Amino acid sequence: MKEAALSLRIDLPQGRIGPGKIRLLEAIDREGSISAAGRALGMSYKRAWDLVDALNRLLGTPAVQANPGGRRGGGAVLTEAGRSLVADYRAIERAAQRAAEPRLAALAKRTGG
């Protein structure tokens, strides 16, 4: 049986940060490119790039530094702002999950989960 979990979306005045954008940043960090991260997550390069662009605008500074392709290929790395965003989001997510666990467990029990 799967345990009840909390899904977190943060709405800021400048835009929204949720699990999809954070997973994309983590995949870029792991894969070393936006296109490879998109493929790993089952999304098109355009979708991945649009999400990175939205994050860059939201932060007011790049979350990802993309290096243009060429003979050796391009690549992408998270900037300090991107790494900080992932760390902050995951910390908020863990704190919210801990705080919600008793209520989630009670809800799961009531709903047969």
Side-chain angles (χ1 to χ4, degrees):
M1 174 177 9
K2 187 177 175 186
E3 180 176 311
L6 190 65
S7 179
L8 184 66
R9 183 184 81 199
I10 301 170
D11 292 317
L12 298 169
Q14 312 87 310
R16 176 178 292 166
I17 301 167
K21 288 176 182 165
I22 297 300
R23 278 194 302 272
L24 177 60
L25 290 179
E26 291 169 334
I28 291 168
D29 195 35
R30 184 177 59 251
E31 302 291 334
S33 84
I34 295 170
S35 59
R39 281 192 303 274
L41 296 175
M43 69 176 69
S44 70
Y45 175 78
K46 180 176 179 354
R47 176 73 177 139
W49 179 253
D50 287 346
L51 290 173
V52 167
D53 187 50
L55 283 167
N56 290 345
R57 281 184 280 114
L58 184 142
L59 293 174
T61 187
V64 174
Q65 179 183 343
N67 301 311
R71 260 196 335 213
R72 297 176 149 219
V77 295
L78 296 188
T79 63
E80 188 57 39
R83 289 185 187 287
S84 293
L85 175 60
V86 171
D88 289 342
Y89 179 90
R90 292 300 185 199
I92 292 166
E93 184 180 56
R94 284 189 302 274
Q97 181 69 33
R98 280 191 307 272
E101 277 175 2
R103 296 282 185 168
L104 287 171
L107 181 61
K109 188 173 182 178
R110 285 194 310 272
T111 59

